Amino acid sequence: MSLVEEIKDKIRDVKDFPKKGISFKDITPILKNPKLSSKIVKKLSGFVSNRSTHIVGIESRGFLFGIPVSIEKNISFVLIRKKGKLPYKTISTDYNLEYGQATIEMNIGDIGPGDRVIIHDDLLATGGTACAAAKLIIDQGAIVDGFSFIIELDFLKGRKNLRKFSDNINSIVKY
Ligand code: AMP
């Protein structure tokens, strides 16, 4: 089986979660397979350029593979979290989800001018979350070096929204 087939084989589709009409792509079965997780880390690491200085992972599933990729590439990992979770001073932005509205935050000072950042999440849907993350990064004077996802929901055309920040948009499996 190819890596794409192996991943698709493990992704669990949960219909009508978190609300009617959404087919939720549950990646937790992947995590029970360390060999597959290791292949995913290697593949995602290939999306990080040698000039990149940081991986920014989006809560919470963006932490799962974002951290091992940052370790593999020997670069910093920075968290983007939902409002109210980070104890230190934060910078925040509001955005629209495929299924609702939210605010994300990051610690002030985690990234700064000249840093080159890869934004990582488990899944690209409309691109609202990744766009909000990119805005936070640019607001702090850093550069968006690219985007990396395990899954891309092609039919939602989220990629189109990300191109204004970077053309380096990568995903492993598409639906
Ligand atoms: P979006 O901002 O629309 O690109 O949505 C991306 C964020 O919402 C990511 O953090 C995903 O984990 C989550 N998400 C959106 N749609 C789905 C879906 N169908 N299955 C799993 N997660 C999703």
Side-chain angles (χ1 to χ4, degrees):
M1 262 200 280
S2 70
L3 178 59
V4 170
E5 285 165 343
E6 273 190 79
I7 294 171
K8 284 194 169 174
D9 187 55
K10 290 286 178 281
I11 289 169
R12 180 162 48 203
D13 275 306
V14 184
K15 295 236 171 317
D16 298 324
F17 183 89
K19 69 177 198 189
K20 210 165 166 41
I22 302 290
S23 180
F24 191 89
K25 302 280 182 216
D26 179 14
I27 62 163
T28 56
I30 291 174
L31 304 173
K32 289 158 67 187
N33 292 268
K35 285 206 177 98
L36 178 55
S37 292
S38 172
K39 287 183 202 172
I40 292 171
V41 170
K42 290 219 160 54
K43 183 75 182 172
L44 292 172
S45 297
F47 298 157
V48 180
S49 95
N50 286 335
R51 293 192 307 170
S52 303
T53 57
H54 293 67
I55 309 248
V56 165
I58 301 174
E59 179 172 355
S60 58
R61 291 181 298 277
F63 301 165
L64 300 172
F65 287 93
I67 294 171
V69 169
S70 76
I71 294 168
E72 174 86 11
K73 295 295 294 181
N74 195 27
I75 60 176
S76 300
F77 181 81
V78 168
L79 294 82
I80 283 191
R81 298 209 64 183
K82 287 163 192 148
K83 192 180 168 68
K85 303 274 188 177
L86 290 168
Y88 186 56
K89 288 177 223 154
T90 58
I91 175 166
S92 72
T93 191
D94 299 326
Y95 70 105
N96 294 316
L97 276 174
E98 188 189 358
Y99 42 79
Q101 266 214 319
T103 303
I104 51 170
E105 297 182 327
M106 63 192 300
N107 288 323
I108 285 175
D110 270 1
I111 58 165
D115 290 338
R116 303 190 67 98
V117 176
I118 296 285
I119 295 168
H120 169 72
D121 204 352
D122 66 327
L123 182 144
L124 172 63
T126 64
T129 312
C131 274
K135 273 185 209 135
L136 277 181
I137 283 148
I138 285 166
D139 282 352
Q140 291 169 94
I143 295 154
V144 178
D145 226 7
F147 297 90
S148 103
F149 306 93
I150 301 169
I151 304 163
E152 179 172 355
L153 303 184
D154 233 0
F155 58 93
L156 290 172
K157 310 223 183 307
R159 176 177 281 266
K160 213 176 66 192
N161 297 324
L162 304 185
R163 285 211 183 99
K164 57 180 171 286
F165 300 104
S166 171
D167 280 333
N168 183 25
I169 305 164
N170 296 286
S171 59
I172 309 177
V173 305
K174 293 187 186 192
Y175 288 92

